């Protein structure tokens, strides 16, 4: 037995080795196809990115051809550097720099030498490419913008960086990838799938044909087209109305959560981030620390919500049963909440909920807030209940929309106040400013718009989103989930009645639009910043929220204009013009429209430098 064992093991081992070699050399070609194999050259065929349309089928983003010169260092031979530099209008320093970078990436693999040639540059180089061994041309597609708006929604495409290439094997040097906006969020859908061709080379490094007669080659698959929920005309109109103003506009279709317009101001033309000058233009935009055109104020800016927050104060008071629609409070031009502590109000007299809303009475909502917190045996219990109601509207957290940037805003909790008052002593009067949206609470414009969509729906909302349709597949199911608030439906009607009379009897009576029943709320929020280390009060922010029509609402909107004095001065006109434009297709108030389109707040924004006084409303 022992005599047989050793020969048997040797024979078995030999057979295993032979079988493995047979598998590797005859059956399995995967090792041959690897990108570092000198006998095989891999060529990629880049597909067009998917087109982007608006909700009405208007083409917003298409493609244009682009050509990159690629270099494979190990294949270079007798390159006439000076001739190439002259042909491509580049310096010898640039030539050396790009070649060194290519060697670091891989001596055997192609990488970008000169990106995004124009058609003229491409034609000139293609005629002489045989003179430059190791260089090749790859055709790609760049974005071609049909509209000069919505840059913050689209995002942009750029070359994939080294970190991305290491993390995701799909991307190679020179590949383009979506950044920001829908280009980033829907990258895998828009980019398509690269085609791959394996070309066999002989021992002289000459191409001799397809490897294995092309059985491993794949065809490029074009990216899928997507339809956005944006209304292209409304988006352009909103950006035009924000002429020389800073702030954000968000418009939502209440019944679906689809974003109709998402405006940030100042903005920029999306075509600036296309082509050879993309990097230079991006640097200019990025370094503009005053206007901040790359900063999406609609999603990122956290502001005190001001008087529109009274809508929530009233709803919570009704739900907590500390008031009803007939509860009244007497206002003496303000609310006294402690010795020497007085919250001013422009109103006076006895108000019920209805009057409190359309007159925007601070006293009414300060009393309501105080009763809500004091209903509970401890202030922390009251704040817990209050903050839970607010969070059911999506406040204090990311809403879950399909765009990359965002801020949570702030809904203070007992934990928040315990951190600032570690020894206790805080109570409803300590935090009374929250009642009118001037305390610690912060909201983004999209949260304000979503709040109004929720009120329009009388208690529910769908996650705001910009995707409407993807060719050949469904959108994410999360955008069809109804989110119910903690406020019962019955309590919305008296609040909506008050919001309707804001246009009939209240602070926006001069902004009525004939033929459209609008429900809305003006807002003015105090605004502070540090100038030379001193906390300085700047001109107030102008805020307006609304939905229309009153029955079966089609649009909910929030407009925030920084340093805009008061709600009805800038934000209110912009909001009502947007509503009229969307529902009627045109506007009738030409004088008001002209003012918004041609007048801005440039002088206001220069006040921190000019030393001119700020406008403070009391």
């Amino acid at each position: 037995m022992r005599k047989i064992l050793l020969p048997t093991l040797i024979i078995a081992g030999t057979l295993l080795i032979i079988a493995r070699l047979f598998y590797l050399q005859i059956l399995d070609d995967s090792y041959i196809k690897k990108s570092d194999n000198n006998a095989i050259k891999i060529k990629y065929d880049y597909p067009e990115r998917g087109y982007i349309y608006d909700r009405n089928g208007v083409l917003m983003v298409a493609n244009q051809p682009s050509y990159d010169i690629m270099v494979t260092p190990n294949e270079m031979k007798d390159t006439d550097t000076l001739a190439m530099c002259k042909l491509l209008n580049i310096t010898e320093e640039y030539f050396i720099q790009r070649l060194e970078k290519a060697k670091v990436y891989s001596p055997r693999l192609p990488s970008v030498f000169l990106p995004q040639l124009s058609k003229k540059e491409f034609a000139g180089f293609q005629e002489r490419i045989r003179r430059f061994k190791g260089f090749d041309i790859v055709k790609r597609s760049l974005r071609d913008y049909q509209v000069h708006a919505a840059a913050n929604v689209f995002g942009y495409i750029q070359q994939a960086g080294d970190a991305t290439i290491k993390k995701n094997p799909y991307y190679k040097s020179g590949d383009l990838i979506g950044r920001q906006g829908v280009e980033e969020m829907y990258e895998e859908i828009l980019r398509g799938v690269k085609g791959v061709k394996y070309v066999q080379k002989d021992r002289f490094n000459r191409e001799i044909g397809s490897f294995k007669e092309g059985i491993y080659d794949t065809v490029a698959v074009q990216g899928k087209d997507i339809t956005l929920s944006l209304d292209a005309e409304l988006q352009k109109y909103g950006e035009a109305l924000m002429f020389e103003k800073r702030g954000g506009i968000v418009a939502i279709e209440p019944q679906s959560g689809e974003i109709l317009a998402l405006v940030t101001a100042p903005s920029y033309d999306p075509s600036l981030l296309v082509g050879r000058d993309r990097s230079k233009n991006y640097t200019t935009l990025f370094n503009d620390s005053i206007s901040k055109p790359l900063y999406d104020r609609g999603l990122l800016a956290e502001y005190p919500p001001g008087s529109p927050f009274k809508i929530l104060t009233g709803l919570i008071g009704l739900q907590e049963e500390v008031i009803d629609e007939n509860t009244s409070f007497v206002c003496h031009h303000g609310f006294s909440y402690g010795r020497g502590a007085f919250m001013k109000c422009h109103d006076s007299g006895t108000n019920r909920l209805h009057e409190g809303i359309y007159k925007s009475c601070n006293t009414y909502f300060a009393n309501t807030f105080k009763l809500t917190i004091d209903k509970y045996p401890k202030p922390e219990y009251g704040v817990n209940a209050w903050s839970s109601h607010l969070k059911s509207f999506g406040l204090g957290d990311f809403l879950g929309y399909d765009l990359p940037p965002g801020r949570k805003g702030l809904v203070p909790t007992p934990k928040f106040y315990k951190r600032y008052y570690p020894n206790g002593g805080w109570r409803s009067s300590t935090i009374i400013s929250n009642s009118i949206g001037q305390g610690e609470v912060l909201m983004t414009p999209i949260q304000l718009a979503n709040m109004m969509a929720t009120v329009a729906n009388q208690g529910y909302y769908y996650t705001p989103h910009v995707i409407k349709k993807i060719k050949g597949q469904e959108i994410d199911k999360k955008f069809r989930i109804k989110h119910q608030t903690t406020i019962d439906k019955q309590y919305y009607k008296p609040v909506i009645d008050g919001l309707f009379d804001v246009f009939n009897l209240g602070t926006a009576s001069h902004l009525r639009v004939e033929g459209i029943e609008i429900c809305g709320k003006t807002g003015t929020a105090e605004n502070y910043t540090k100038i030379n280390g001193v906390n300085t009060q700047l001109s107030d922010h102008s805020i307006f929220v609304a939905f229309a029509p009153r029955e079966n609402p089609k649009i909910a909107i929030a407009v925030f204009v920084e340093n805009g004095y008061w709600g009805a001065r800038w934000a209110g006109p912009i909001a009502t013009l947007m509503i009229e434009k969307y529902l009627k297709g045109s506007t009738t108030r030409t004088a008001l429209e002209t003012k918004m389109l041609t007048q801005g707040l440039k002088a206001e924004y220069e006040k921190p430098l000019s030393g001119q006084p700020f406008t403070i409303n009391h």
Side-chain angles (χ1 to χ4, degrees):
M1 187 68 181
R2 291 182 180 177
K3 293 180 180 180
I4 300 174
L5 180 61
L6 184 59
T8 302
L9 290 173
I10 293 172
I11 293 170
T14 303
L15 290 174
L16 286 172
I17 292 171
I18 292 172
R20 182 61 178 165
L21 288 173
F22 178 81
Y23 174 76
L24 289 173
Q25 295 185 19
I26 306 299
L27 300 180
D28 182 19
D29 293 315
S30 61
Y31 80 99
I32 298 176
K33 297 187 296 173
K34 288 185 177 180
S35 59
D36 57 358
N37 189 332
N38 290 331
I40 301 295
K41 183 176 183 178
I42 298 176
K43 290 186 175 182
Y44 293 105
D45 184 14
Y46 292 90
E48 276 198 272
R49 287 181 79 84
Y51 283 29
I52 299 177
Y53 297 86
D54 90 331
R55 66 187 298 107
N56 300 310
V58 175
L59 179 62
M60 300 176 79
V61 185
N63 296 305
Q64 57 181 309
S66 171
Y67 306 91
D68 291 353
I69 296 180
M70 310 292 287
V71 61
T72 306
N74 276 7
E75 295 181 6
M76 290 178 63
K77 186 178 181 181
D78 301 327
T79 302
D80 188 338
T81 304
L82 292 178
M84 189 170 185
C85 289
K86 184 177 180 180
L87 177 63
L88 296 174
N89 193 28
I90 60 175
T91 64
E92 190 173 357
E93 289 76 16
Y94 179 90
F95 183 99
I96 296 171
Q97 178 190 11
R98 297 303 298 179
L99 185 58
E100 289 302 316
K101 187 173 181 179
K103 290 177 180 177
V104 170
Y105 171 71
S106 174
R108 296 185 299 274
L109 298 178
S111 59
V112 176
F113 176 79
L114 186 64
Q116 301 173 8
L117 271 68
S118 67
K119 290 182 180 179
K120 184 178 180 181
E121 291 171 327
F122 162 70
F125 186 74
Q126 189 182 40
E127 290 179 0
R128 300 168 178 81
I129 194 170
R130 291 185 179 181
R131 295 170 51 190
F132 307 107
K133 300 294 183 182
F135 291 88
D136 199 1
I137 295 177
V138 170
K139 182 181 178 181
R140 306 183 197 272
S141 64
L142 298 180
R143 284 315 206 182
D144 185 14
Y145 293 99
Q146 309 300 301
V147 296
H148 301 287
N152 59 313
V153 179
F154 298 144
Y156 52 90
I157 58 174
Q158 67 175 31
Q159 285 188 21
D162 294 340
T164 300
I165 293 170
K166 289 178 181 178
K167 185 178 179 181
N168 190 333
Y170 176 86
Y171 297 99
K172 309 298 180 186
S173 176
D175 283 7
L176 300 175
I177 187 171
R179 293 296 186 207
Q180 297 298 319
V182 296
E183 295 283 16
E184 179 176 328
M185 294 303 292
Y186 295 98
E187 162 68 9
E188 292 188 12
I189 291 169
L190 289 167
R191 77 183 182 195
V193 180
K194 286 183 292 190
V196 183
K197 293 181 180 179
Y198 297 93
V199 180
Q200 196 162 358
K201 298 184 291 184
D202 62 16
R203 61 192 182 94
F204 299 108
N205 205 34
R206 295 175 301 195
E207 296 182 9
I208 58 175
S210 297
F211 171 67
K212 292 284 185 179
E213 297 182 350
I215 61 173
Y216 295 110
D217 295 352
T218 59
V219 178
V221 179
Q222 183 172 344
K224 294 180 180 178
D225 297 342
I226 65 173
T227 299
L228 300 185
S229 60
L230 291 188
D231 183 303
E233 289 302 314
L234 189 67
Q235 178 75 25
K236 288 189 288 185
Y237 188 57
E239 293 191 18
L241 291 172
M242 291 296 284
F243 171 78
E244 289 190 355
K245 306 172 189 74
R246 297 177 188 167
I249 305 173
V250 183
I252 296 174
E253 183 180 71
Q255 296 173 359
S256 66
E258 294 176 356
I259 297 173
L260 304 172
L262 179 59
V263 174
T264 181
S267 188
Y268 61 94
D269 187 334
S271 62
L272 287 174
L273 299 187
V274 176
R276 191 89 62 83
D277 291 331
R278 192 207 73 82
S279 181
K280 180 180 69 175
N281 291 338
Y282 181 86
T283 300
T284 301
L285 294 170
F286 181 81
N287 289 334
D288 186 348
S289 59
I290 297 175
S291 297
K292 300 180 180 178
L294 294 176
Y295 181 69
D296 193 331
R297 287 171 165 86
L299 304 178
L300 290 168
E302 297 170 306
Y303 302 106
S307 289
F309 193 78
K310 294 172 183 175
I311 298 169
L312 297 175
T313 302
L315 287 170
I316 294 171
L318 291 168
Q319 182 68 38
E320 289 290 322
E321 297 182 340
V322 297
I323 62 166
D324 60 34
E325 57 187 290
N326 294 312
T327 302
S328 62
F329 299 105
V330 179
C331 177
H332 297 291
H333 293 292
F335 175 73
S336 178
Y337 55 95
R339 183 178 297 176
F342 190 73
M343 178 189 291
K344 293 183 179 180
C345 182
H346 58 266
D347 191 35
S348 64
T350 301
N351 293 319
R352 295 178 301 169
L353 176 63
H354 188 75
E355 292 87 4
I357 292 173
Y358 77 71
K359 292 181 179 179
S360 197
C361 177
N362 288 347
T363 299
Y364 190 94
F365 294 100
N367 274 297
T368 301
F369 178 82
K370 190 174 188 302
L371 288 172
T372 300
I373 304 303
D374 292 348
K375 169 185 173 181
Y376 293 86
K378 292 184 178 181
E380 53 260 43
Y381 298 163
V383 170
N384 255 334
W386 172 76
S387 63
S388 294
H389 287 305
L390 294 176
K391 288 176 181 177
S392 74
F393 284 80
L395 306 184
D397 203 351
F398 300 110
L399 282 171
Y401 45 77
D402 52 343
L403 289 168
R407 290 283 190 274
K408 289 184 176 183
L410 176 62
V411 172
T413 61
K415 185 178 179 181
F416 176 89
Y417 288 116
K418 286 177 181 177
R419 189 162 64 247
Y420 283 91
Y421 301 95
N423 299 321
W426 65 275
R427 52 192 181 275
S428 61
S429 59
T430 313
I431 59 173
I432 198 72
S433 293
N434 284 317
S435 64
I436 59 170
Q438 283 289 176
E440 290 73 39
V441 65
L442 296 172
M443 293 173 64
T444 60
I446 194 171
Q447 288 175 330
L448 276 168
N450 190 60
M451 177 194 79
M452 287 308 287
T454 307
V455 174
N457 291 333
Q458 298 183 47
Y460 69 88
Y461 70 90
Y462 293 96
T463 299
H465 53 283
V466 294
I467 194 70
K468 186 173 179 66
K469 185 169 61 177
I470 301 172
K471 188 176 181 179
Q473 72 180 71
E474 292 186 348
I475 66 171
D476 196 317
K477 292 179 180 178
K478 74 176 184 178
F479 299 130
R480 298 194 294 272
I481 296 173
K482 184 184 288 188
H483 301 277
Q484 203 76 38
T485 69
T486 55
I487 309 298
D488 296 338
K489 183 177 180 179
Q490 68 194 65
Y491 296 123
Y492 286 89
K493 186 181 183 306
V495 171
I496 290 173
D497 289 343
L499 295 173
F500 177 64
D501 275 339
V502 166
F503 284 87
N504 295 316
L505 306 168
T507 53
S509 57
H510 63 294
L511 294 174
R512 287 195 298 267
V513 180
E514 187 177 349
I516 303 176
E517 291 189 334
I518 305 177
C519 300
K521 185 77 187 73
T522 55
T524 304
E526 293 181 354
N527 175 25
Y528 292 86
T529 192
K530 284 191 179 297
I531 299 178
N532 297 323
V534 178
N535 197 35
T536 306
Q537 186 171 5
L538 278 63
S539 299
D540 296 338
H541 294 316
S542 175
I543 313 167
F544 200 89
V545 296
F547 66 82
R550 184 181 184 185
E551 301 295 332
N552 193 25
K554 297 293 192 297
I555 181 173
I557 192 168
V559 179
F560 207 108
V561 179
E562 295 180 8
N563 304 60
Y565 307 131
W566 59 87
R569 179 160 178 174
W570 293 104
I574 290 171
T576 55
L577 285 167
M578 292 276 285
I579 288 172
E580 186 178 16
K581 177 79 169 178
Y582 183 68
L583 295 180
K584 289 185 172 183
S586 60
T587 54
T588 56
R589 298 165 296 163
T590 54
L592 183 65
E593 181 182 56
T594 300
K595 178 181 178 181
M596 294 300 115
L597 291 172
T598 59
Q599 296 183 28
L601 292 161
K602 186 177 180 181
E604 189 67 39
Y605 301 134
E606 292 175 349
K607 284 182 179 179
L609 299 176
S610 67
Q612 294 296 311
F614 300 103
T615 303
I616 312 299
N617 296 304
H618 296 292

